[in-house]
Amino acid sequence: ALHEGHVVSAQELTVLLQPVFTQNSRNLILFLQDTLSTDDFMYHSESYSNKNPFQNLSMNLLQEILQSSPSTLVLPAVDCEAVRYLLRFLQESRDWKLTNITNLDVSQLEVNTSEPNLLVVQLQPLISGSGEISTQEAIAENDKIIGRLTMDLQERGIQFSVIYTAMRPSRISRRTDVVGKLRRQLMATEEEDSLSYPPLNVTTGNDTCILFYASNFSLKANNSVLIDLTNATFVTQEVDISSSACSDFNTTLSLKYTKPVNGISSLEIRFLMTQGFYSVSARNWSTLDSVEIVQDGEKFAKFNVSAISAPAEYSFHCQLVGTSNLYPARLIPSNNEAKNWEVFISRLQIQGFKSVNNQFSYASDCTGFFSPGIWMGLVTSIGLLWILAYGIHMIMQLTTNSRFDDPKGPSLSVPQTE
C-alpha cells in the first residue's frame, strides 16, 4: 500500500519483485515500450475517450489498481533509474533462458517449461515514424500483442508473470527536490536519467573511432513489417559491426543483423560519413552523406541525408531522424527500393571522427537557433513596429490652424488665397 504520487526506487523495486522469483511460476514476460506513464492509463481510458486502448490490461489488473488506489488522479510510478537496470537485474536474479521477441509474431513461440524462461518483448514505439498512426492506436496495437501472447500461453497451460513498463516516461513532471533550480538544469537531469544503455562503439586497436546511440531505432518494410533494432543494437548487442571501417576522411558504420524478423534472413544497415575542410568556415566538418539498407544480400536501398553535419571534433545529435517529412533531419530515398522502407530514429547521436575516451564530444544539434516560432514572432513584431512607426509619422505631419473663429466677435473671413 503506497501513497499516491510515490515513485518506486530501484531498491524498492527489487523488494517488490521478490514474490515473482519465489512463486511456482518459472516464466516471466517483460513487455518493454519506448515511453509510458501512469497518466496514460487515465488519459486514454474510456472516461476521457470513446475507445479504451487497454482492453486486455484493464479488464483484469489495471481496473482493480485504479479502483483500489488511494487517489484516482495520481498513481504510484517507477523511477526511470530503476527501469534502466531492470533487465540486468532480472538476468542476474535467476539463471533464465533469455528470449528476445522483436518481430511481434508470437504464433511460433516455443517455451520450454522445464527451465525458467525470461521473454523480453519489444513493443512498437508510440511515436509513429510515418505520422499515420496516433498514440492511442499504437497503444491499442501493443495491447493486442500483449493479449495474444498471454492468451496463447494460458491456452497451453503455462503459468507466467508479466511486467509491463517502458524505458522512459511519456510525461515528465517537476520533482519537488529540484523546483528551485533552473529549468535548463532540470532538463539536463531528466535527459541523463532517461539514458538506459551505453552507446555502441567501434574500435580500431585501442582507439574508438565510431560512437552511435539512439533511444529508438526502428524500420518498417513495405508499410507492414515493423523491425525494432533498439534492443539488438544497444542492449543485447546482437549485431555484427566487423565490416565497419574508419579512416581520417571516410568512415562507415556497418550494422549486420541475422533474422531480425520472420521472412528476412539478413539485414545490413550502413551509415557512410566523410570529413572535409570547408574554406568558408575555415575548419573541418564531418557529414553523414548516405544511409544504405541491404536485405538478404540482394535488395539494396539507398537514402540521401539532409541536415546531418557537425564540426569534425563534435558529435551530431538530433531528436528525430527518419524518412518522414516532419523530421528536422531527413533520409530521402534515392532509388526505388528505398521507397519500400520507413526509418525512425529518435534521439540519434553519432560521431565518426575524433572521439576521446570512448565518450561523445560536445553535440551539435540539428535544431537551428531560429525556430519557425521565433521567425513568426520576429516577422509579426517587425510588421507591428512598422505600422506603429507609420502611424506616429502620420500624426507628426498634422498641423494646426494659424487663426481661429471667435464666437463673441464677427465671423472669421478667410480669403480664398489662404
Side-chain angles (χ1 to χ4, degrees):
L2 301 175
H3 62 83
E4 59 272 17
H6 177 76
V7 178
V8 178
S9 63
Q11 184 177 2
E12 292 174 322
L13 182 62
T14 57
V15 176
L16 293 174
L17 291 178
Q18 288 304 319
V20 177
F21 310 126
T22 57
Q23 62 186 4
N24 295 330
S25 174
R26 291 158 52 91
N27 304 296
L28 180 62
I29 308 174
L30 177 61
F31 291 101
L32 275 179
Q33 207 162 266
D34 59 339
T35 60
L36 185 69
S37 294
T38 53
D39 296 341
D40 294 330
F41 297 103
M42 299 297 298
Y43 182 78
H44 296 289
S45 63
E46 293 179 352
S47 302
Y48 293 89
S49 59
N50 297 327
K51 183 179 179 182
N52 183 9
F54 300 101
Q55 294 295 328
N56 294 287
L57 291 172
S58 61
M59 285 192 305
N60 300 315
L61 181 62
L62 290 180
Q63 286 292 347
E64 299 177 5
I65 295 177
L66 293 175
Q67 294 174 1
S68 62
S69 174
S71 172
T72 58
L73 299 178
V74 183
L75 301 174
V78 179
D79 190 10
C80 303
E81 195 76 19
V83 177
R84 182 193 305 184
Y85 300 105
L86 176 60
L87 182 58
R88 188 175 68 182
F89 166 73
L90 293 176
Q91 292 175 337
E92 295 175 352
S93 60
R94 179 178 286 187
D95 187 16
W96 302 95
K97 178 187 177 184
L98 180 62
T99 303
N100 291 287
I101 304 175
T102 57
N103 54 12
L104 306 181
D105 184 9
V106 299
S107 59
Q108 300 179 355
L109 179 63
E110 296 181 0
V111 179
N112 185 7
T113 56
S114 62
E115 55 183 350
N117 295 277
L118 175 58
L119 309 179
V120 181
V121 183
Q122 292 284 345
L123 300 173
Q124 66 174 344
L126 299 187
I127 305 176
S128 173
S130 60
E132 299 176 356
I133 182 171
S134 65
T135 302
Q136 188 174 15
E137 292 173 344
I139 293 178
E141 288 298 322
N142 290 340
D143 186 71
K144 292 178 182 178
I145 295 169
I146 295 174
R148 286 199 303 267
L149 178 57
T150 54
M151 289 297 296
D152 180 69
L153 295 179
Q154 288 177 357
E155 293 175 355
R156 300 187 201 177
I158 301 175
Q159 296 183 352
F160 57 89
S161 300
V162 172
I163 298 177
Y164 179 42
T165 186
M167 301 305 298
R168 64 184 188 275
S170 58
R171 293 174 175 84
I172 302 177
S173 59
R174 290 182 180 268
R175 291 174 286 184
T176 56
D177 57 338
V178 290
V179 169
K181 296 184 179 180
L182 296 176
R183 179 59 185 167
R184 189 173 186 87
Q185 295 174 342
L186 179 61
M187 291 180 64
T189 304
E190 293 163 354
E191 188 79 6
E192 181 181 353
D193 289 344
S194 62
L195 295 176
S196 55
Y197 36 74
L200 180 70
N201 63 81
V202 178
T203 59
T204 54
N206 296 327
D207 299 328
T208 300
C209 62
I210 304 176
L211 288 172
F212 175 64
Y213 175 86
S215 62
N216 192 300
F217 183 26
S218 304
L219 308 175
K220 183 178 285 188
N222 300 319
N223 294 325
S224 59
V225 181
L226 179 66
I227 309 173
D228 191 343
L229 303 174
T230 310
N231 186 66
T233 306
F234 303 103
V235 181
T236 61
Q237 295 192 356
E238 298 174 351
V239 57
D240 181 12
I241 58 175
S242 59
S243 298
S244 302
C246 300
S247 68
D248 294 336
F249 302 101
N250 296 280
T251 296
T252 301
L253 173 61
S254 175
L255 307 175
K256 293 183 179 179
Y257 306 89
T258 302
K259 293 183 179 179
V261 292
N262 291 335
I264 298 179
S265 59
S266 65
L267 186 68
E268 182 182 5
I269 304 174
R270 306 191 195 111
F271 295 84
L272 284 74
M273 295 170 282
T274 59
Q275 179 184 192
F277 180 80
Y278 292 84
S279 57
V280 176
S281 58
R283 68 187 309 173
N284 290 324
W285 285 73
S286 62
T287 306
L288 179 60
D289 296 324
S290 61
V291 175
E292 300 173 351
I293 301 176
V294 182
Q295 176 187 345
D296 299 329
E298 299 177 354
K299 299 181 180 180
F300 176 78
K302 183 177 181 180
F303 298 87
N304 294 327
V305 181
S306 68
I308 297 186
S309 61
E313 62 273 15
Y314 290 177
S315 64
F316 175 82
H317 174 270
C318 195
Q319 189 69 21
L320 292 174
V321 177
T323 52
S324 174
N325 295 329
L326 304 177
Y327 294 165
R330 287 193 57 207
L331 304 181
I332 305 172
S334 63
N335 60 2
N336 293 329
E337 184 62 30
K339 298 178 181 179
N340 300 326
W341 290 89
E342 293 182 13
V343 182
F344 169 73
I345 308 175
S346 64
R347 289 185 58 198
L348 168 72
Q349 189 165 2
I350 189 170
Q351 184 172 357
F353 305 92
K354 299 182 179 180
S355 60
V356 181
N357 297 329
N358 198 24
Q359 294 181 349
F360 282 112
S361 303
Y362 178 84
S364 175
D365 201 273
C366 61
T367 303
F369 181 78
F370 288 96
S371 64
I374 294 177
W375 279 114
M376 182 175 63
L378 287 175
V379 172
T380 305
S381 300
I382 292 174
L384 292 176
L385 288 175
W386 183 86
I387 294 174
L388 177 62
Y390 179 77
I392 294 175
H393 174 74
M394 296 300 295
I395 291 175
M396 294 177 64
Q397 298 300 316
L398 296 177
T399 58
T400 59
N401 297 328
S402 59
R403 289 180 291 178
F404 297 91
D405 193 8
D406 185 4
K408 296 182 180 181
S411 60
L412 180 66
S413 176
V414 180
Q416 294 183 355
T417 56
E418 297 184 7

